Amino acid sequence: MSKIKPAKGSPYARILGVGGYRPTRVVPNEVILETIDSSDEWIRSRSGIATRHWASPQETVAAMSVEASGKALADAGIAPEQIGAVIVSTVSHFKQTPAVATEIAHRIGAGKPAAFDISAGCAGFGYGLTLAKGMVVEGSAEYVLVIGVERLSDLTDLEDRATAFLFGDGAGAVVVGPSDEPAIGPTVWGSEGDKSETIKQTVPWDEYRTDDSGQKFPAITQEGQAVFRWAVFEMAKVAQQALDAAGITAEDLDVFIPHQANMRIIDSMVKTLKLPEHVTVARDVETTGNTSAASIPLAMERLLATGAAKSGDTALVIGFGAGLVYAATVVTLP
């Protein structure tokens, strides 16, 4: 017989607060057109993007995360010292170690929480949310701060006509804590490594060990049509599985918050899932661009701030991207 005592966590977990930070510089399509042969009409028709935010040198991954975290903590009514773990999802923090989560935890005054980074691309927020839920239910942390943050402008090839207009910068954060009722559903997640070449960093960091490498600085590249087909057809299936796992139907939804990759993908998923007209759909991509791991919490924060969604609404969230990886779940909005 095991001598290990059972965990003393909460029966359930929920999102208690959300916060976001968008860099001050707004970049319209006209700026992108300075380096690629395209048009504003073409960019909007292909992606739905009109503007995006690019970070200044002072708006680092850590700095943006601190701003978003402060708003999430205030929204949740939780003091920094109550945070038992900090999870940061990012692919654009250029220090391999230490994890930027440790710096963020210190700067927000969280004391000595568990702190670590994860790399799951555009599905990173869903991965972090799932880990946080497990910590709260298991009892290893009462409150967990989950951050999705990117400075993708650092990894954008402005001469690549296929991707130069896609990416933006920003940070989104949520506080996850105990709940008396189910408020974060089962996660449907996974990976399809056979498609890992469809979204990738162009060259690995170790190509820069010598000054005469001759390599162009790494950027994110993707096979657009392959990604589009995968996202529309396969991710709609995953989204439906998340609804089934939560025991609800599309009719029960109030809000749909997909990864803000592309307006055409979002609209196609809405059609494939046959979402009713009463469901509010996040389309933050138009003014924020694709911010990878930050896109879902940023879109969630904007919907709540503008009144397009309200506290207590039932929302389906799904992230998908490089790996290829994905994560979908149903949540109650804070």
Side-chain angles (χ1 to χ4, degrees):
M1 179 180 292
S2 174
K3 297 180 181 179
I4 299 174
K5 294 181 180 180
K8 295 182 179 180
S10 170
Y12 306 107
R14 69 184 304 118
I15 299 174
L16 299 172
V18 60
Y21 180 81
R22 293 171 174 81
T24 55
R25 183 187 178 193
V26 177
V27 180
N29 288 338
E30 286 72 19
V31 172
I32 308 298
L33 296 175
E34 294 173 4
T35 52
I36 61 171
D37 180 18
S38 187
S39 68
D40 177 66
E41 180 183 5
W42 187 88
I43 292 174
R44 289 175 185 256
S45 65
R46 297 286 292 182
S47 68
I49 298 172
T51 62
R52 73 285 292 145
H53 296 255
W54 283 355
S56 68
Q58 292 73 36
E59 292 170 316
T60 63
V61 165
M64 292 190 292
S65 297
V66 168
E67 291 292 331
S69 298
K71 294 176 182 178
L73 288 166
D75 190 44
I78 299 298
E81 54 269 24
Q82 292 177 271
I83 295 296
V86 177
I87 304 171
V88 177
S89 178
T90 184
V91 299
S92 49
H93 176 58
F94 288 168
K95 284 185 180 179
Q96 199 73 36
T97 192
V100 72
T102 59
E103 177 185 348
I104 296 165
H106 172 68
R107 289 178 60 174
I108 66 173
K112 298 181 180 180
F116 59 94
D117 300 349
I118 59 174
S119 176
C122 304
F125 176 75
Y127 276 50
L129 185 65
T130 303
L131 294 173
K133 172 188 172 183
M135 290 177 178
V136 172
V137 173
E138 187 269 341
S140 60
E142 185 175 10
Y143 299 102
V144 181
L145 181 64
V146 180
I147 304 164
V149 57
E150 302 292 2
R151 272 181 56 116
L152 294 180
S153 57
D154 292 333
L155 289 168
T156 299
D157 181 353
L158 295 179
E159 297 178 349
D160 181 359
R161 189 173 184 269
T163 61
F165 57 89
L166 286 176
F167 303 118
D169 304 335
V174 299
V175 175
V176 177
S179 174
D180 293 330
E181 59 183 12
I184 301 175
T187 299
V188 177
W189 57 354
S191 65
E192 297 183 27
D194 60 314
K195 300 180 180 67
S196 62
E197 292 295 303
T198 56
I199 306 175
K200 64 180 182 179
Q201 182 174 310
T202 50
V203 293
W205 296 117
D206 60 6
E207 294 287 341
Y208 290 84
R209 286 184 173 178
T210 60
D211 292 336
D212 59 351
S213 64
Q215 289 282 6
K216 190 175 181 180
F217 194 77
I220 296 175
T221 184
Q222 70 175 26
E223 298 174 14
Q225 286 302 313
V227 173
F228 180 85
R229 290 192 296 271
W230 176 76
V232 170
F233 297 109
E234 298 303 319
M235 291 306 96
K237 297 175 186 176
V238 171
Q240 184 60 55
Q241 289 169 17
L243 291 174
D244 295 341
I248 67 172
T249 68
E251 287 288 340
D252 299 314
L253 278 181
D254 300 305
V255 185
F256 179 44
I257 311 178
H259 164 49
Q260 301 295 294
N262 180 304
M263 195 75 78
R264 291 170 63 211
I265 290 175
I266 294 171
D267 290 341
S268 295
M269 289 184 71
V270 168
K271 183 177 180 179
T272 302
L273 287 167
K274 298 179 181 178
L275 296 184
E277 289 189 7
H278 74 262
V279 176
T280 298
V281 179
R283 291 188 170 87
D284 194 43
V285 66
E286 180 180 4
T287 56
T288 306
N290 180 343
T291 56
S292 189
S295 78
I296 290 175
L298 278 174
M300 183 185 295
E301 184 261 353
R302 175 161 280 173
L303 288 175
L304 290 167
T306 59
K310 63 183 184 299
S311 175
D313 277 354
T314 299
L316 169 62
V317 299
I318 179 170
F320 45 86
L324 292 170
V325 295
Y326 53 88
T329 188
V330 175
V331 303
T332 300
L333 295 183

